[in-house]
Amino acid sequence: MNKTWWKESVIYQIYPRSFNDSNGDGIGDLKGITEKLDYLKELGIDVIWLSPVYQSPNDDNGYDISDYQNIMDEFGTMKDWEELLAEVHARGMKLIMDLVVNHSSDEHAWFAESRKSKDNPYRDYYVWRPGKDGVEPNNWESAFSGSVWEYDQATEEYFLHIFSKKQPDLNWESPELRNEVYKMMTWWLDKGIDGFRMDVINFISKVPGLPDAPNQEGKQYVSGGEYFMNGPRIHEFLYEMNQEVLSKYDIITVGEMPGATVDDAKLYTGDDREELNMVFTFEHMDLDSGLNGKWDLKPLDLLDLKENITKWQVGLNGVGWNSLYLNNHDQPRMVSRFGNDKEYRVESAKMLATFLHMLQGTPYVYQGEEIGMTNVKFDSIDDYQDIEIRNMYRDKVIQGNEDHDKVMESIYVKGRDNARTPFQWDESENAGFTSGKPWLKINHNYKDINAKLAVADSDSIYHYYRRLIELRKKNSIIVYGEYELIMAEHQQIFAFTRTYENEKLLVITNFSGEEVMCDLPNDIVVSEDKLMISNYKEATNSTGASFTLRPYEARVYKFNSL
Ligand code: NOJ
């Protein structure tokens, strides 16, 4: 397996709006990030990924970009950004930027031109179609509810928007558009950035003809995913992007890819393919959803998680590379979702961190994860800011006839604002995030859960992450070791081994709040002196092949010879 720095890195995701506000306007900003770089360096972070900081009307918090080469006013200036980059580099860390080129904002200059007339030179930068029988050109549903089509009076045609109607899809069939994007990427890389996280990048090639999706139940709109995820020209486009831009720099590239399977990922990330370094799969994020999508709540079955993680670990081993994550700005908080954010918050957050950081791949830490930040429950729908939540609530409750309480429950469990509440720095007003009024309410638990407390307590989740990251730096096996699932049928324990050269790791994690018996396979016998890290301070008698694990207990053993 090829060794590279980006396989050995730990990446920290910053959602700038919610990280740290330096000027009291209630919105996080670039100077605020620069102020906190030492905190990240202390944690051991190698690479920082910034969610979008470009100019944007903020219909989708910066994922709707109106100028790719300027900074959002609320976040500061290009000078602030340059200073941030310099300070990141001065600390030996790297910075990767979000690349959002499946769509732009409708306030982008290209779109302003494109909508003017059918023969405008920019017309082709977007996807325009005439209506069909007086309605939208097809029946696809937008990720943010309603149709993917918006009618535009000026030319009496519809434009495509898989996300909000202020996020028109760019037309990658246009060579001019592709060149503009490559030019813009090169401009950022020449400014010294260290790579890109690419927003829904597997959506950029659509099936020609944009056919209606099957619709047995006769719904108004249905998901058209099969016609725009991993579409017919996707590998051609990514290879071209690689040849034109990426291959000229020593950088990290990670593609966000809903609907990508392991087989797709082999093609996207394969060593010999010259496309991307790694992808964000969504498969493990979908295991607790029912047939009707993310708001259709379903308890997670640990066996499903094992099967899925194992498929990716085994599938990409030696072929491509995994990115490892359990939450981000689009997902609920990991400890609330997969652990227990009440009596076992600390134990379960550490257990989940152990689990993730001991898999093969590059781990991503989402801001606040390292101090065990939790989901929120706002009483009123008006307290939520996320366009996905607001549109869904409007469609289901205000315009539809679904039950308010049921819909609120699904927002409490799955809503994206769970991850977007401001970072909890300390116990002062507004959690030290801002001296003004925060753009989104602070989680009420900030007096107990904050970075100041975490840094001061050597037994905190924060320091546990620091240790995990340190171990990765000292043990190649954590990065490169081959994964094998053991105890596959156990309902509460997720256990696996990693093997590399003459070493072996044994990772045992209890995903339940119960005490459970752990009976190891016959060939494995553990002893305390082999323990590398664990999330309970006091040892128990765990020598031998059979012992009890405490609630959410996690242990990693290292053996020197096979
Ligand atoms: C994925 C991003 O992570 C999400 O926040 C955004 O809403 C959509 N792509 C659209 O850009």
Tab-separated table of all heavy atoms in Angstrom, residues 15 60 63-64 100 103 144 163 167 197 199-200 256 329-330 416 420, ligand 1:
chain	number	residue	atom	x	y	z
A	15	TYR	N	-17.008	24.636	10.774
A	15	TYR	CA	-18.185	25.262	10.177
A	15	TYR	C	-18.113	26.717	10.633
A	15	TYR	O	-18.498	27.056	11.758
A	15	TYR	CB	-19.441	24.560	10.708
A	15	TYR	CG	-20.698	24.870	9.944
A	15	TYR	CD1	-20.855	24.444	8.626
A	15	TYR	CD2	-21.749	25.563	10.527
A	15	TYR	CE1	-22.010	24.712	7.915
A	15	TYR	CE2	-22.915	25.834	9.826
A	15	TYR	CZ	-23.038	25.399	8.525
A	15	TYR	OH	-24.198	25.660	7.821
A	60	ASP	N	-28.228	28.741	1.953
A	60	ASP	CA	-27.840	27.442	2.522
A	60	ASP	C	-26.485	27.611	3.225
A	60	ASP	O	-25.571	26.801	3.046
A	60	ASP	CB	-27.784	26.391	1.398
A	60	ASP	CG	-27.519	24.988	1.904
A	60	ASP	OD1	-27.733	24.729	3.107
A	60	ASP	OD2	-27.086	24.142	1.084
A	63	TYR	N	-23.252	27.361	1.119
A	63	TYR	CA	-23.203	26.342	0.057
A	63	TYR	C	-23.922	26.851	-1.203
A	63	TYR	O	-24.202	26.098	-2.124
A	63	TYR	CB	-23.752	24.998	0.546
A	63	TYR	CG	-22.717	24.273	1.397
A	63	TYR	CD1	-22.698	24.399	2.777
A	63	TYR	CD2	-21.720	23.509	0.796
A	63	TYR	CE1	-21.719	23.774	3.545
A	63	TYR	CE2	-20.743	22.876	1.548
A	63	TYR	CZ	-20.751	23.012	2.925
A	63	TYR	OH	-19.774	22.389	3.657
A	64	ASP	N	-24.214	28.142	-1.204
A	64	ASP	CA	-24.791	28.823	-2.372
A	64	ASP	C	-23.866	30.010	-2.639
A	64	ASP	O	-23.953	31.043	-1.996
A	64	ASP	CB	-26.224	29.284	-2.086
A	64	ASP	CG	-26.375	30.016	-0.751
A	64	ASP	OD1	-25.759	29.601	0.255
A	64	ASP	OD2	-27.096	31.041	-0.710
A	100	VAL	N	-17.621	23.950	-4.068
A	100	VAL	CA	-19.054	23.715	-4.288
A	100	VAL	C	-19.368	24.057	-5.733
A	100	VAL	O	-19.674	25.196	-6.079
A	100	VAL	CB	-19.902	24.576	-3.327
A	100	VAL	CG1	-21.373	24.171	-3.420
A	100	VAL	CG2	-19.401	24.457	-1.898
A	103	HIS	N	-23.370	23.312	-8.069
A	103	HIS	CA	-24.312	24.420	-8.232
A	103	HIS	C	-23.627	25.695	-7.766
A	103	HIS	O	-22.614	25.653	-7.072
A	103	HIS	CB	-25.577	24.168	-7.404
A	103	HIS	CG	-25.284	23.669	-6.020
A	103	HIS	ND1	-25.212	22.330	-5.716
A	103	HIS	CD2	-24.997	24.310	-4.864
A	103	HIS	CE1	-24.912	22.167	-4.445
A	103	HIS	NE2	-24.762	23.361	-3.893
A	144	PHE	N	-34.230	19.701	-0.865
A	144	PHE	CA	-34.823	20.598	0.134
A	144	PHE	C	-36.324	20.778	-0.097
A	144	PHE	O	-36.867	21.862	0.083
A	144	PHE	CB	-34.111	21.959	0.104
A	144	PHE	CG	-32.661	21.909	0.539
A	144	PHE	CD1	-31.767	22.886	0.126
A	144	PHE	CD2	-32.185	20.902	1.368
A	144	PHE	CE1	-30.434	22.870	0.527
A	144	PHE	CE2	-30.853	20.861	1.769
A	144	PHE	CZ	-29.973	21.843	1.343
A	163	PHE	N	-30.764	21.286	-5.136
A	163	PHE	CA	-30.935	21.799	-3.773
A	163	PHE	C	-31.942	22.961	-3.829
A	163	PHE	O	-32.928	22.852	-4.551
A	163	PHE	CB	-29.566	22.120	-3.164
A	163	PHE	CG	-28.761	20.847	-2.989
A	163	PHE	CD1	-27.914	20.377	-3.991
A	163	PHE	CD2	-28.921	20.064	-1.850
A	163	PHE	CE1	-27.236	19.180	-3.867
A	163	PHE	CE2	-28.243	18.867	-1.718
A	163	PHE	CZ	-27.392	18.421	-2.721
A	167	GLN	N	-30.003	27.697	-5.584
A	167	GLN	CA	-28.778	26.939	-5.882
A	167	GLN	C	-28.899	26.243	-7.241
A	167	GLN	O	-28.949	25.010	-7.316
A	167	GLN	CB	-28.520	25.904	-4.779
A	167	GLN	CG	-28.187	26.536	-3.422
A	167	GLN	CD	-28.222	25.510	-2.290
A	167	GLN	OE1	-29.273	24.942	-1.992
A	167	GLN	NE2	-27.085	25.259	-1.658
A	197	ARG	N	-12.306	19.753	-0.271
A	197	ARG	CA	-13.431	18.853	0.001
A	197	ARG	C	-14.478	19.255	-1.037
A	197	ARG	O	-14.795	20.435	-1.188
A	197	ARG	CB	-13.928	19.070	1.431
A	197	ARG	CG	-15.208	18.299	1.785
A	197	ARG	CD	-16.458	19.124	1.507
A	197	ARG	NE	-17.657	18.457	1.978
A	197	ARG	CZ	-18.894	18.880	1.737
A	197	ARG	NH1	-19.101	19.967	1.020
A	197	ARG	NH2	-19.931	18.226	2.205
A	199	ASP	N	-18.078	19.294	-2.608
A	199	ASP	CA	-19.488	19.164	-2.277
A	199	ASP	C	-20.252	18.354	-3.337
A	199	ASP	O	-20.146	18.661	-4.533
A	199	ASP	CB	-20.067	20.587	-2.200
A	199	ASP	CG	-21.427	20.638	-1.567
A	199	ASP	OD1	-21.538	20.381	-0.366
A	199	ASP	OD2	-22.402	20.948	-2.294
A	200	VAL	N	-21.027	17.378	-2.901
A	200	VAL	CA	-21.825	16.502	-3.798
A	200	VAL	C	-21.216	16.393	-5.206
A	200	VAL	O	-21.915	16.544	-6.219
A	200	VAL	CB	-23.310	16.930	-3.881
A	200	VAL	CG1	-24.028	16.600	-2.582
A	200	VAL	CG2	-23.513	18.397	-4.233
A	256	GLU	N	-17.491	14.506	-1.516
A	256	GLU	CA	-18.724	14.131	-0.813
A	256	GLU	C	-19.622	13.426	-1.819
A	256	GLU	O	-19.924	13.986	-2.873
A	256	GLU	CB	-19.417	15.380	-0.270
A	256	GLU	CG	-20.590	15.027	0.611
A	256	GLU	CD	-21.690	16.095	0.635
A	256	GLU	OE1	-21.788	16.906	-0.303
A	256	GLU	OE2	-22.471	16.093	1.587
A	329	HIS	N	-21.426	18.805	9.531
A	329	HIS	CA	-22.419	19.872	9.651
A	329	HIS	C	-23.791	19.498	9.095
A	329	HIS	O	-24.728	20.281	9.215
A	329	HIS	CB	-21.889	21.114	8.915
A	329	HIS	CG	-21.774	20.875	7.443
A	329	HIS	ND1	-20.882	19.965	6.899
A	329	HIS	CD2	-22.459	21.397	6.394
A	329	HIS	CE1	-21.026	19.955	5.588
A	329	HIS	NE2	-21.971	20.804	5.254
A	330	ASP	N	-23.897	18.336	8.450
A	330	ASP	CA	-25.184	17.891	7.909
A	330	ASP	C	-25.814	16.777	8.724
A	330	ASP	O	-26.903	16.298	8.385
A	330	ASP	CB	-24.987	17.348	6.481
A	330	ASP	CG	-24.603	18.417	5.498
A	330	ASP	OD1	-24.981	19.581	5.694
A	330	ASP	OD2	-23.905	18.081	4.515
A	416	ARG	N	-30.166	19.138	10.815
A	416	ARG	CA	-28.774	19.580	10.646
A	416	ARG	C	-28.375	20.647	11.667
A	416	ARG	O	-27.189	20.785	11.981
A	416	ARG	CB	-28.563	20.123	9.220
A	416	ARG	CG	-28.910	19.107	8.142
A	416	ARG	CD	-28.360	19.495	6.783
A	416	ARG	NE	-28.902	20.744	6.256
A	416	ARG	CZ	-28.578	21.253	5.061
A	416	ARG	NH1	-27.732	20.581	4.284
A	416	ARG	NH2	-29.082	22.390	4.643
A	420	ARG	N	-24.972	22.483	14.201
A	420	ARG	CA	-24.580	23.852	13.839
A	420	ARG	C	-24.704	24.839	14.981
A	420	ARG	O	-24.413	26.022	14.810
A	420	ARG	CB	-25.430	24.308	12.641
A	420	ARG	CG	-25.192	23.409	11.433
A	420	ARG	CD	-26.075	23.774	10.259
A	420	ARG	NE	-25.805	22.876	9.142
A	420	ARG	CZ	-26.314	22.989	7.934
A	420	ARG	NH1	-27.145	23.995	7.665
A	420	ARG	NH2	-26.015	22.119	6.987
B	1	NOJ	C1	-23.795	19.067	0.931
B	1	NOJ	C2	-23.416	20.047	1.991
B	1	NOJ	O1	-22.629	19.417	2.927
B	1	NOJ	C3	-24.705	20.602	2.539
B	1	NOJ	O2	-24.519	21.347	3.714
B	1	NOJ	C4	-25.356	21.392	1.461
B	1	NOJ	O3	-26.631	21.824	1.892
B	1	NOJ	C5	-25.518	20.590	0.173
B	1	NOJ	N1	-24.390	19.771	-0.149
B	1	NOJ	C6	-25.737	21.506	-0.978
B	1	NOJ	O4	-24.568	22.224	-1.257
